[in-house]
Amino acid sequence: MNENVTMLEEAERKILWLACWMIHNANHLRESRDRLKVGGHQSSSASAATLLTALYMHALRPEDRVAVKPHAAPVYHAIQYLLGRQSRQNLESFRGFGGAQSYPSRTKDAPDVDFSTGSVGLGVGMTLFASLVQDYVRLHQLGDGRAPGRMVAVLGDAELDEGNVFEAMLEGWKQDVRNLWWIIDYNRHSLDGVVNDELFQRIRQFFENVGWEVVSLKYGGRLLAAFDGPAGEALKQWIDDCPNQLYSALTFKGGAAWRSELARDLNGTAGLAELLDRHEDAALHELMTNLGGHDMASLVEAFDSVSDDRPRCFIAYTIKGHRLPLAGHKDNHAGLMTPAQMNVFRAAHSIPEGAEWDVHTGLTCDRSVFVDFLASVPFASERPAATTRRVPVEPLEAPTGEMLSTQDAFGKVMTALSRREDELARRVMTTSPDVTVSTNLGGWVNRLGVFNRNPAADTFREQAVASPLKWEKSEIGQHLELGIAENNLFLLLAAAGLSHSLFGARLLPVGTLYDPFISRGLDALNYACYQDARFMLVATPSGISLAPEGGAHQSIASPLNGIAQDGLASFEPAFADEMTAIMSWAFDYMQRDGSGQSRTNWLRDIEGGSVYLRLSTRPIRQPKRAMTDELRQSIIDGGYWLHQPSRDTMLVIAYTGAVAPEAAAAHAQIVDEIPGTGLLAITSADRLNAGWHAAEAARQDGVAPARAHVERLLAAVPARARIVTVTDGHPLTLSWLGSVLGHRVRALGVEHFGQSGDIPDLYRHYRIDAAAIMDACAAACLDQLRPVTAVA
Ligand SMILES: Cc1ncc(C[n+]2csc(CCOP(=O)(O)OP(=O)(O)O)c2C)c(N)n1
Ligand SMILES: [Mg+2]
């Protein structure tokens, strides 16, 4: 064991050197073509170097999955480099184009990043949900039988200010989460300064309250030995009482400052003078900063002593900037060593000029010993692979009925799916933050049950209380019910949507929530998409068509979020057959990985992604029509002509979603006066828009015949014709249509907070009813008779 600790310390020195050099190189040596500061985090890296070394070079097993705090990215990259999984070239271009990323990124870095980090708190929560997903996969026997891994987060102490971390912990407690380690880099510094002294006592209690085992790693071996000496007790008390601010300031000032402070405060303590005399300034500084999180032997022992799967929190006391001249300074978060300081650091690490990236220089042991050590690291062996196997998607059947809302249709499709005992039905996992019933997943849950590691019968059923809803919890339930926390929903979707990659078992997660509350978790949604997780987000109800519920529940901006969110194909169907076609396609799209062929529609359809359906509770009359391949494809590409415009028409009405009846009614009245008026049904403003931009870029790249679906649709509209667009959401969702081929547009939609009412009242008030559409059409036609002039 001692030998191993020595080698780990050797590795740590090398890792710290490489991390600091990587940042130094990016800032001081790499040619800079602009005045932007490259940055990097030498202090945060130094604080986590021991922790990460102990973890990656000793404790981790290949099946474990880790979220590394964003600002320790250089340490992470250096470790991967030593393990032969990162290239020198990438390190040399750290934070540069195509180089190792500023914050560990699953999609942009080499393959071994398990969880991206960057937005603090999210990576931490993600590990908890990943652990639940791992259990789900194992208990449903969907995986390849691999041993369960530990889900590990190495987090900054200030990450615990993020509420999402606590939301996740509460959910973890409810779900009896296991195999979860959070290692807190407790350096008592955030970005702006030093964190509150008392806070951590509360935080510690919180962990214990929700069933975690908390392990404190406060003192290193040298300090513990000093505590055994004559002045030991007083010294320990002094450190325990020392405010964070003072401890940090003394750390920055060094040995002489410790000496005078201790001599003053502990004046007269037996044995103190001897202790101080025994230590030169440098040695005293070493002693006073010998904290648990920088003591390799303590860390190794703490990690090795875990033998069960209880969730564990390690509070590892560290120093931000440890062993660097920046150590302890409150402003050190973005601090950089100067070239002169770097030279001193270089000398301390015995790194000759020109050998900075060499793995084997500056070692205190033989090269071959170090090589053997690296080869023996357990984590260095091959990691369990992702699965690329796709679940076949037999088309879903569209529900029938005169009057249906898209939300009705969604519930019916899911209930029908729950009856199918095929692979698709087995791989779908649903989840919802306490809105399962009101988003119409009740039928699905009735048949397939709620997932929980601890089975529980439905008491209401046992007590013969009549209810259409069965709520039975078991290890094989297919719905994971969350408390009301949208951040948790998105983190669970992120984890489940990466199950094929993390756990070798494909899941097709479907999450439902109310459309306006997407905003509550937007950063977590972005985080899920950034990692290329694959899920279906079904947001229902939406818009002011949720009339009596009032403004607090009515969404306006969500279609724009849907357009802007990368990795998420957004749809707003109006009819049940559209919704079903989109869902069938989506289950396949969620599984695509860039392999295989697809027709060129200028969308990322070969690569695949996640899908967002914005649905409504408004029942609308369904068209009587057969679904043809052509119609299906147009629905998926984003739109189709319900009424094709004539070659000489003056007018087109384009709508999306629940306002279909108003658009159709206005069209029916206008078409007599303006023959040939077109009616364009838009199922995905997002995909129409994305295709247009991509085709435009392709043409600029010389692919002259590139045409997007929206360009083909609008090619049927005469140049002088006007387009009136209408949506139950922000009008910008569709107003861009005019830029595609230069048609002038009048865009109707909702721009101000909603309120209670019925649909006719609200649609009239917000000017998206048939009358408002006709007014806009009339104005557009009048406008057409006038020449286009600039308005003064
Ligand atoms: C959501 C979010 N808000 C703000 C930031 C900016 N930020 C980056 S690091 C940091 C402080 C982090 O402190 P801590 O977690 O203790 O990390 P360490 O001390 O280890 O560097 C902040 C506020 C961020 N990355 N993410
Ligand atoms: Mg910190």
Side-chain angles (χ1 to χ4, degrees):
M1 151 117 157
N2 278 345
E3 212 167 280
N4 194 22
V5 167
T6 312
M7 289 315 299
L8 286 166
E9 286 171 346
E10 186 80 53
E12 186 206 346
R13 276 166 48 80
K14 195 77 221 172
I15 288 162
L16 181 60
W17 161 260
L18 284 167
C20 290
W21 180 252
M22 201 182 303
I23 298 167
H24 182 79
N25 179 65
N27 285 282
H28 294 289
L29 303 176
R30 209 164 64 209
E31 195 188 323
S32 160
R33 286 176 301 170
D34 52 35
R35 284 164 183 277
L36 272 187
K37 203 177 107 193
V38 178
H41 298 91
Q42 288 174 331
S43 299
S44 298
S45 296
S47 154
T50 332
L51 297 178
L52 283 167
T53 306
L55 201 58
Y56 275 95
M57 299 279 177
H58 177 77
L60 288 181
R61 298 294 173 267
E63 60 273 18
D64 297 338
R65 305 286 176 187
V66 193
V68 175
K69 71 168 189 171
H71 302 85
V75 179
Y76 170 79
H77 295 313
I79 290 173
Q80 300 302 315
Y81 178 61
L82 289 191
L83 295 178
R85 290 173 173 163
Q86 177 61 285
S87 70
R88 171 172 166 178
Q89 192 191 353
N90 281 348
L91 299 194
E92 287 188 77
S93 47
F94 171 63
R95 287 184 165 239
F97 191 64
Q101 297 295 295
S102 331
Y103 307 115
S105 167
R106 271 186 70 85
T107 49
K108 304 274 189 301
D109 277 316
D112 261 326
V113 176
D114 297 318
F115 306 114
S116 300
T117 52
S119 176
V120 300
L122 295 181
V124 184
M126 173 83 172
T127 55
L128 185 147
F129 290 102
S131 186
L132 293 182
V133 170
Q134 179 175 249
D135 280 346
Y136 182 98
V137 163
R138 187 171 50 82
L139 295 167
H140 286 78
Q141 299 180 354
L142 295 172
D144 48 15
R146 65 179 63 171
R150 281 184 177 127
M151 303 298 116
V152 182
V154 177
L155 56 147
D157 44 355
E159 295 201 55
L160 291 161
D161 284 333
E162 283 288 1
N164 88 270
V165 174
F166 295 88
E167 294 174 14
M169 282 164 77
L170 289 175
E171 200 58 55
W173 177 78
K174 287 188 238 168
Q175 307 282 346
D176 192 17
V177 69
R178 302 272 139 180
N179 287 311
L180 184 62
W181 282 13
W182 287 359
I183 302 162
I184 302 173
D185 179 351
Y186 185 37
N187 59 25
R188 285 160 283 182
H189 284 233
S190 59
L191 192 156
D192 282 338
V194 181
V195 304
N196 183 302
D197 290 291
E198 303 294 323
L199 186 67
F200 248 68
Q201 293 312 321
R202 313 280 147 205
I203 288 176
R204 188 195 171 92
Q205 278 165 16
F206 189 87
F207 274 98
E208 285 168 351
N209 284 344
V210 290
W212 290 55
E213 176 93 24
V214 181
V215 182
S216 249
L217 295 159
K218 188 162 183 182
Y219 312 107
R222 247 175 285 170
L223 263 182
L224 287 173
F227 294 160
D228 282 340
E233 211 166 301
L235 180 66
K236 179 169 183 298
Q237 196 60 50
W238 185 89
I239 294 179
D240 286 348
D241 293 344
C242 186
N244 285 348
Q245 299 256 11
L246 179 62
Y247 187 84
S248 295
L250 295 175
T251 299
F252 181 71
K253 288 168 81 177
W258 290 113
R259 188 177 304 279
S260 61
E261 203 77 16
L262 286 170
R264 197 191 61 219
D265 286 357
L266 300 183
N267 187 14
T269 305
L272 183 78
E274 291 77 356
L275 181 121
L276 295 180
D277 285 349
R278 269 202 316 278
H279 293 84
E280 298 281 309
D281 278 357
L284 185 62
H285 180 66
E286 275 282 303
L287 176 69
M288 295 302 288
T289 55
N290 177 234
L291 300 183
H294 294 303
D295 189 83
M296 194 62 81
S298 305
L299 288 167
V300 165
E301 193 192 332
F303 295 157
D304 284 353
S305 63
V306 178
S307 57
D308 59 27
D309 65 358
R310 264 185 83 184
R312 263 189 180 63
C313 164
F314 298 89
I315 304 178
Y317 283 64
T318 56
I319 287 167
K320 195 149 167 173
H322 189 52
R323 302 197 178 112
L324 312 184
L326 312 164
H329 198 290
K330 71 181 176 61
D331 305 335
N332 70 6
H333 184 77
L336 280 175
M337 283 190 270
T338 62
Q341 288 171 327
M342 198 64 198
N343 276 337
V344 175
F345 191 66
R346 170 201 290 279
H349 284 257
S350 314
I351 307 290
E353 297 239 7
E356 293 85 359
W357 301 107
D358 190 339
V359 172
H360 307 110
T361 44
L363 298 175
T364 60
C365 64
D366 276 356
R367 177 193 173 110
S368 64
V369 176
F370 195 59
V371 170
D372 289 348
F373 165 74
L374 290 180
S376 71
V377 167
F379 188 72
S381 28
E382 205 177 321
R383 306 190 71 195
T387 178
T388 51
R389 208 177 69 78
R390 294 200 196 167
V391 176
V393 181
E394 291 300 323
L396 304 162
E397 204 157 312
T400 51
E402 283 268 299
M403 300 288 289
L404 285 173
S405 71
T406 43
Q407 195 205 62
D408 287 335
F410 168 69
K412 288 187 153 88
V413 167
M414 290 302 290
T415 305
L417 181 60
S418 74
R419 295 203 181 93
R420 275 174 33 170
E421 282 167 5
D422 63 359
E423 185 69 359
L424 175 65
R426 241 162 67 79
R427 298 276 170 173
V428 169
M429 181 197 107
T430 58
T431 178
S432 184
D434 200 25
V435 288
T436 300
V437 176
S438 47
T439 55
N440 220 3
L441 269 179
W444 166 270
V445 176
N446 254 341
R447 274 194 55 81
L448 299 180
V450 176
F451 170 73
N452 201 293
R453 285 167 49 97
N454 303 311
D458 183 340
T459 308
F460 281 87
R461 193 154 281 256
E462 283 183 340
Q463 293 291 328
V465 178
S467 161
L469 205 70
K470 202 160 81 188
W471 201 263
E472 227 166 57
K473 294 180 184 169
S474 78
E475 289 180 342
I476 55 160
Q478 276 183 243
H479 173 78
L480 203 153
E481 178 75 1
L482 296 170
I484 328 165
E486 286 71 18
N487 269 301
N488 282 347
L489 172 76
F490 290 120
L491 291 179
L492 174 58
L493 290 175
L498 286 171
S499 175
H500 56 284
S501 168
L502 297 172
F503 308 119
R506 174 83 60 187
L507 289 181
L508 295 165
V510 175
T512 66
L513 84 169
Y514 292 0
D515 196 55
F517 304 133
I518 290 180
S519 314
R520 181 70 85 102
L522 269 183
D523 194 30
L525 168 62
N526 183 57
Y527 176 71
C529 291
Y530 180 60
Q531 303 195 73
D532 201 23
R534 301 302 178 85
F535 52 87
M536 189 188 294
L537 184 66
V538 183
T540 166
S542 64
I544 59 169
S545 59
L546 178 63
E549 280 282 312
H553 276 49
Q554 293 165 351
S555 58
I556 297 172
S558 51
L560 298 179
N561 290 131
I563 289 175
Q565 180 59 60
D566 195 12
L568 189 70
S570 306
F571 293 86
E572 187 165 359
F575 303 116
D577 60 353
E578 295 174 353
M579 207 236 30
T580 313
I582 294 164
M583 277 183 76
S584 291
W585 172 84
F587 282 128
D588 186 68
Y589 180 75
M590 284 156 64
Q591 304 187 59
R592 296 183 193 170
D593 59 7
S595 62
Q597 294 283 316
S598 116
R599 63 196 189 94
T600 305
N601 59 1
W602 308 107
L603 291 166
R604 295 191 187 166
D605 279 5
I606 305 175
E607 290 82 0
S610 288
V611 176
Y612 158 37
L613 303 182
R614 186 177 192 252
L615 304 186
S616 166
T617 39
R618 182 189 190 193
I620 61 180
R621 190 166 304 284
Q622 300 295 303
K624 292 192 173 54
R625 61 184 175 189
M627 181 57 66
T628 62
D629 285 346
E630 195 192 341
L631 177 58
R632 182 178 302 109
Q633 194 57 56
S634 302
I635 288 167
I636 286 155
D637 286 349
Y640 60 94
W641 287 109
L642 266 173
H643 292 280
Q644 182 88 19
S646 65
R647 282 164 181 274
D648 55 357
T649 191
M650 295 164 80
L651 191 66
V652 160
I653 299 171
Y655 75 91
T656 191
V659 292
E662 282 66 28
H667 179 267
Q669 294 197 39
I670 284 172
V671 79
D672 288 340
E673 278 176 55
I674 307 175
T677 297
L679 181 60
L680 184 59
I682 292 177
T683 45
S684 174
D686 177 28
R687 283 171 58 84
L688 288 185
N689 184 270
W692 170 46
H693 288 292
E696 188 71 43
R699 286 193 291 270
Q700 280 166 25
D701 281 349
V703 189
R707 286 292 170 278
H709 186 58
V710 71
E711 291 169 325
R712 279 195 232 102
L713 287 170
L714 294 183
V717 182
R720 277 174 54 82
R722 302 302 196 236
I723 303 176
V724 171
T725 65
V726 58
T727 172
D728 183 353
H730 197 279
L732 268 175
T733 309
L734 297 179
S735 62
W736 59 271
L737 282 172
S739 299
V740 177
L741 297 179
H743 297 102
R744 291 189 78 190
V745 165
R746 285 189 174 244
L748 304 180
V750 182
E751 286 171 276
H752 301 291
F753 294 121
Q755 57 184 301
S756 305
D758 60 15
I759 287 180
D761 280 344
L762 293 189
Y763 278 19
R764 183 174 351 97
H765 180 80
Y766 291 91
R767 300 196 50 79
I768 56 173
D769 63 352
I773 298 171
M774 288 194 312
D775 284 352
C777 289
C781 291
L782 277 178
D783 187 64
Q784 194 187 28
L785 301 174
R786 289 196 295 265
V788 179
T789 49
V791 179

Coordinates of all heavy atoms in Angstrom, one line a residue, residues 156-158 185 187-190 320, ligand 2:
G156 N -17.0 21.0 -6.8 CA -16.6 22.1 -6.0 C -17.5 22.4 -4.9 O -18.7 22.1 -5.0
D157 N -17.0 22.9 -3.7 CA -17.9 23.1 -2.6 C -19.0 24.1 -2.9 O -20.1 24.0 -2.5 CB -17.1 23.6 -1.3 CG -16.0 24.6 -1.6 OD1 -15.8 24.9 -2.8 OD2 -15.4 25.1 -0.7
A158 N -18.7 25.1 -3.8 CA -19.7 26.1 -4.1 C -20.8 25.6 -5.0 O -21.9 26.2 -5.1 CB -19.1 27.3 -4.7
D185 N -14.7 18.8 -3.1 CA -13.4 19.5 -3.1 C -13.6 20.7 -2.2 O -14.0 21.8 -2.7 CB -13.0 19.9 -4.5 CG -11.7 20.6 -4.6 OD1 -11.2 21.0 -3.5 OD2 -11.2 20.8 -5.7
N187 N -12.5 23.4 -0.7 CA -11.4 24.4 -0.6 C -11.9 25.7 -0.1 O -11.1 26.7 0.0 CB -10.7 24.6 -2.0 CG -11.7 25.1 -3.1 OD1 -12.7 25.7 -2.8 ND2 -11.4 24.8 -4.3
R188 N -13.2 25.8 0.3 CA -13.7 27.0 0.9 C -13.7 28.2 0.1 O -13.8 29.3 0.6 CB -13.1 27.2 2.3 CG -13.5 26.2 3.3 CD -12.6 26.1 4.5 NE -11.4 25.3 4.1 CZ -10.4 25.0 4.9 NH1 -10.4 25.5 6.1 NH2 -9.4 24.3 4.5
H189 N -13.5 28.0 -1.2 CA -13.5 29.2 -2.1 C -14.5 28.9 -3.2 O -14.6 27.8 -3.8 CB -12.1 29.4 -2.8 CG -11.1 30.0 -1.9 ND1 -10.4 31.1 -2.2 CD2 -10.7 29.6 -0.6 CE1 -9.6 31.4 -1.2 NE2 -9.8 30.5 -0.2
S190 N -15.2 30.0 -3.6 CA -16.0 29.9 -4.8 C -15.3 30.8 -5.9 O -14.1 30.8 -5.9 CB -17.4 30.4 -4.5 OG -17.4 31.7 -4.0
K320 N -7.4 25.8 -2.4 CA -7.4 26.2 -3.7 C -6.1 26.8 -4.1 O -5.6 27.7 -3.5 CB -8.6 27.3 -3.9 CG -8.9 27.5 -5.4 CD -10.4 27.9 -5.4 CE -10.8 28.4 -6.8 NZ -12.3 28.6 -6.8
Ligands
MG2 MG -14.5 25.8 -4.1

